[in-house]
C-alpha cells in the first residue's frame, strides 16, 4: 500500500512539473536561460507577497491568455 501511495505521489509530482513547464512555453519563454526564468519567478514571488493589486492584475492577464487559446 505504501509503495502505491509513493508511486501515485511521484506521478502527481511529475504531472505538476510538466504542466508548469508548459506554462513557460505558453508564455513564450521556452528559449530563455534557466537563471533568468528562476530570477523572474523569485522576483514575482516577492512582489506578490507585498502587492495584492499586482496579484489581481496578473491573474486577469493570465486568464486572458488562457482564453485566447481556448483553455
Amino acid at each position: 500500500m505504501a509503495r502505491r501511495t509513493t508511486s501515485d505521489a511521484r506521478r502527481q509530482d511529475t504531472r505538476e512539473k510538466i504542466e508548469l513547464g508548459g506554462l513557460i512555453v505558453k508564455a513564450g519563454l521556452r528559449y530563455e536561460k534557466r537563471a533568468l526564468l528562476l530570477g523572474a519567478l523569485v522576483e514575482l514571488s516577492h512582489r506578490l507577497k507585498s502587492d495584492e493589486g499586482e496579484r489581481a492584475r496578473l491573474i486577469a492577464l493570465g486568464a486572458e491568455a488562457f482564453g485566447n487559446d481556448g483553455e
Side-chain angles (χ1 to χ4, degrees):
M1 180 84 170
R3 186 177 195 173
R4 174 177 244 167
T5 302
T6 302
S7 177
D8 290 344
R10 289 181 65 197
R11 189 175 296 117
Q12 178 63 30
D13 183 60
T14 299
R15 180 170 178 78
E16 287 177 8
K17 289 174 182 174
I18 290 168
E19 289 174 352
L20 291 170
L23 292 175
I24 296 296
V25 172
K26 189 171 192 69
L29 300 171
R30 176 190 300 245
Y31 300 108
E32 293 297 339
K33 293 184 179 196
R34 290 182 295 170
L36 179 138
L37 295 172
L38 182 56
L41 292 170
V42 168
E43 174 68 19
L44 175 62
S45 176
H46 292 189
R47 287 184 187 196
L48 292 178
K49 290 175 184 171
S50 64
D51 186 352
E52 193 60 35
E54 183 71 355
R55 175 182 297 276
R57 185 184 76 80
L58 292 173
I59 288 172
L61 184 64
E64 181 180 338
F66 276 126
N68 290 339
D69 285 350
E71 288 189 30

